[in-house]
Amino acid sequence: HDGALSAAEVEALVLATALSLAGVISHVSFEVIGRQAIERNVLGETASLVAEFHQKGAGHLPHTVDKRSRLWHGFEYRLVGPGGRWRAGALPDPGALGWRKVGDRVGGAPRSFLVFSSTLPDGSVLAVGQDLTAEARQETAMGVALAWCGLLGAAAGFAVSFAVLGGVWRRVAAIVRVAREVSTGRLD
């Protein structure tokens, strides 16, 4: 071996690179699709609460936020009055309007939320966040699955390459053996 890569090594490197790239693209794609779904859910929940604000008024909204908080379905809420006084919900303060990712510790376990905060017509600030714990577990499981698929794909590729190249190398070795015999004068 003269330090140059053999055909099998180049093939293995290309296969490993392709599988790694496919894994990264898949992971990022699933992450983007998941985030878009969460954003749609949060915006839908926010729109529902804003509609209730318009229908029943500002005085009823804290009751609705408390009720929805007790009926936990992956969302947390925070309602702050026009003067900055807390009115309802247990979501940590996102710190600014718009989209934010905020963290919290519940029972010692860390949780994070994707939060959308907006100002209501009376000056109150409503924040709705979806718990990202389940999505984080899914991302981890997807990463592990992609890694195993990549490893199994690489192993299968190496096995096929070895099987194919093994036959080629045996034929090359037979030709080399015949060429040596011919060069020594053995023409039989």
Side-chain angles (χ1 to χ4, degrees), residues 54-134:
H54 287 295
Q55 290 172 355
K56 297 183 180 179
H60 188 73
L61 196 55
H63 168 71
T64 302
V65 167
D66 285 338
K67 183 172 88 174
R68 288 188 184 189
S69 293
R70 284 191 308 274
L71 301 172
W72 191 84
H73 53 277
F75 293 107
E76 285 291 343
Y77 309 90
R78 180 181 185 86
L79 179 61
V80 177
R85 188 176 62 93
W86 174 87
R87 295 185 68 200
L91 186 67
D93 184 4
L97 296 176
W99 289 103
R100 296 282 184 265
K101 192 172 180 180
V102 298
D104 192 14
R105 284 189 110 40
V106 176
R111 293 190 318 171
S112 62
F113 301 89
L114 185 58
V115 177
F116 182 73
S117 302
S118 58
T119 305
L120 298 173
D122 71 343
S124 296
V125 175
L126 174 65
V128 177
Q130 185 168 344
D131 189 345
L132 299 175
T133 305

Side-chain angles (χ1 to χ4, degrees), residues 8 11-12 15 152-170:
E11 185 177 313
L15 179 63
L152 292 174
F158 291 138
V160 168
S161 178
F162 182 73
V164 169
L165 288 178
V168 170
W169 285 116
R170 280 191 294 278

